[in-house]
Amino acid sequence: MNIPLVDLSAQHKSILGEINKAISEVIKTNGYILGEAVELFEEEFARYCEVDYAVGVDSGTSALELVLRAWDIGEGDEVITAANTFIATASAIAFTGAKPVLVDIEESTYNIDPNKIESAITEKTKAIIPVHLYGQPADMEPILDIAKKHNLKVLEDSCQAHGAFYKGKRAGSIGDAAAFSFYPAKNLGALGDGGIMVTNDPELAEKVKMLRNYGQKEKYNHLFLAYNRRLDSIHAAVLRVKLKELDKWNKSRNKNAKIYTEKLKEAPVITPIEADYGEHIYHLYVIRTNDRKPLMDFMKQKGVSSGIHYPIPIHLQKAYSYLGYEKGGFPISEEFAGKIMSLPMYAELSEEQIEYVVNTLKSFYW
């Protein structure tokens, strides 16, 4: 049996007719750039996230960056985020000219530790970006309390958390704004790169709309220098089809995760937990093991793909050596970076396939 880490062919199989129809509709209308499909998807995704506004852009990175720029965050400012996130979170901060300030994580959820945020705040701090890593929301209430106390903005990095819940609220509806990625392998993925920001703030939404489209409020009337960071209409059309399936797919992922966890409870690995404050949508199913490299090699030989998300924390990346952090600065992030391992996870994964993955893993040990 060969089991990929992600199987997009399995996802597209049942909805391929609808996808082709949606793409054909864009071709028929020639609305390729900020066409009707983008506007409709923005409305539908905002409603799905239980917010008032959504603005489609070309990537999750752009969604993060443009929100920060719309808040006038830049040179001389600082933005706090987690040390173990994908580099895009820190990059979005750095692209504005601001400084990423890192905080270590909770052992249980892999998310930013709210108890460590306040000590990282200075007079230069302007915002906090909690990352809902692997599909599990960060603990937002204490983060919001800290932000309110220090008059800081909160931007949710929801790029891996489409449809997750925190205390009954959708991920993305909790902070001042949120960013999502539609990279193809995400729970809600386009056929290429794409992203979106969501918010209840009409002024922020309007500013980001202009920032993504050359600073235009109306065509050829440019109020400030800005970018071309637009979401393509064909991607939006495909995302409209997939959005209707997202909750069903997330329920299937959550079910598959529970099967994994039950079947792995005797194995010498640490399985993920689902925090009691929310609903994990398992963009990734991440275990910890002291035997990662040999285990991954063994499973590959048996036809099981696996991955590492992410092997090097932000502060140990060469690109961020200028921040001045040293090895040992974020011990939990550093320790886990050497032990985490992602098992195959997608909605269409069968119990038989999960059984094979689990038995393969166990046979490495026994």
Side-chain angles (χ1 to χ4, degrees):
M1 195 178 287
N2 288 297
I3 304 176
L5 185 64
V6 178
D7 189 349
L8 293 179
S9 296
Q11 181 190 82
H12 293 149
K13 188 176 180 181
S14 66
I15 57 172
L16 192 56
E18 288 184 79
I19 288 175
N20 288 336
K21 183 180 177 182
I23 292 172
S24 296
E25 202 57 39
V26 175
I27 294 171
K28 190 189 302 180
T29 61
N30 292 315
Y32 299 110
I33 304 297
L34 296 183
E36 183 183 30
V38 173
E39 186 176 338
L40 289 172
F41 176 65
E42 288 172 340
E43 291 173 2
E44 291 161 3
F45 194 72
R47 190 158 56 246
Y48 178 83
C49 290
E50 301 170 356
V51 298
D52 294 333
Y53 306 97
V55 181
V57 292
D58 59 354
S59 70
T61 311
S62 289
L64 290 164
E65 179 192 348
L66 296 189
V67 170
L68 295 176
R69 287 189 182 278
W71 284 336
D72 294 321
I73 290 173
E75 197 74 38
D77 296 329
E78 296 177 352
V79 178
I80 293 170
T81 195
N84 67 329
T85 183
F86 180 55
I87 198 168
T89 315
S91 297
I93 299 167
F95 291 156
T96 70
K99 177 183 176 183
V101 174
L102 306 177
V103 170
D104 213 347
I105 58 172
E106 298 176 321
E107 291 190 27
S108 57
T109 66
Y110 303 113
N111 284 323
I112 192 168
D113 188 339
N115 295 314
K116 296 174 181 172
I117 291 175
E118 203 154 15
S119 63
I121 294 173
T122 72
E123 69 278 358
K124 297 179 180 180
T125 308
K126 294 295 187 293
I128 305 169
I129 304 182
V131 182
H132 303 321
L133 198 67
Y134 306 147
Q136 172 139 263
D139 192 359
M140 292 298 295
E141 275 190 4
I143 294 172
L144 293 173
D145 289 343
I146 293 167
K148 185 177 181 180
K149 177 181 175 182
H150 294 275
N151 194 29
L152 305 176
K153 296 289 189 182
V154 176
L155 171 56
E156 296 174 67
D157 185 335
S158 300
C159 289
Q160 299 183 6
H162 316 66
F165 282 95
Y166 175 83
K167 296 190 175 181
K169 294 182 177 180
R170 290 278 193 190
S173 69
I174 305 159
D176 296 290
F180 291 84
S181 164
F182 300 128
Y183 181 79
K186 296 296 171 68
N187 290 35
L188 181 63
L191 300 185
D193 277 321
I196 205 164
M197 66 77 68
V198 300
T199 185
N200 287 315
D201 182 344
E203 292 183 9
L204 175 63
E206 187 62 29
K207 184 73 176 288
V208 173
K209 277 187 178 181
M210 296 169 70
L211 282 165
R212 75 174 176 184
N213 193 29
Y214 300 109
Q216 299 178 108
K217 193 171 182 67
E218 54 192 43
K219 196 168 185 180
Y220 301 133
N221 184 7
H222 306 271
L223 302 188
F224 49 82
L225 293 176
Y227 313 90
N228 174 3
R229 303 280 185 85
R230 302 173 298 212
L231 176 65
D232 290 337
S233 296
I234 284 179
H235 289 323
V238 171
L239 289 164
R240 291 187 68 210
V241 174
K242 291 188 173 188
L243 182 58
K244 294 181 289 186
E245 308 292 329
L246 181 55
D247 283 342
K248 181 180 74 175
W249 289 342
N250 283 345
K251 283 184 174 64
S252 182
R253 284 174 176 266
N254 193 279
K255 176 187 169 188
N256 288 342
K258 285 177 168 58
I259 295 170
Y260 263 133
T261 299
E262 175 62 25
K263 291 182 180 295
L264 286 169
K265 64 183 180 182
E266 303 299 332
V269 298
I270 297 172
T271 55
I273 65 107
E274 186 166 357
D276 59 9
Y277 55 64
E279 186 177 310
H280 199 323
I281 48 87
Y282 290 97
H283 168 56
L284 298 167
Y285 185 88
V286 179
I287 63 170
R288 294 205 314 272
T289 171
N290 293 323
D291 309 293
R292 184 173 69 191
K293 178 67 165 63
L295 176 57
M296 291 181 73
D297 290 345
F298 176 82
M299 294 183 75
K300 184 178 180 181
Q301 291 169 9
K302 301 294 184 180
V304 178
S305 296
S306 56
I308 305 172
H309 301 86
Y310 302 96
I312 306 173
I314 298 297
H315 67 293
L316 299 182
Q317 297 281 355
K318 185 176 180 181
Y320 286 103
S321 59
Y322 73 90
L323 295 177
Y325 294 114
E326 296 182 357
K327 192 169 184 179
F330 305 101
I332 301 174
S333 294
E334 291 175 33
E335 178 190 350
F336 288 4
K339 296 180 178 180
I340 49 176
M341 173 179 164
S342 301
L343 298 182
M345 173 54 74
Y346 41 96
E348 300 77 16
L349 197 63
S350 69
E351 191 160 352
E352 180 186 12
Q353 289 174 308
I354 295 173
E355 188 82 37
Y356 183 79
V357 173
V358 169
N359 288 341
T360 302
L361 184 149
K362 287 179 175 178
S363 68
F364 171 79
Y365 290 103
W366 300 316

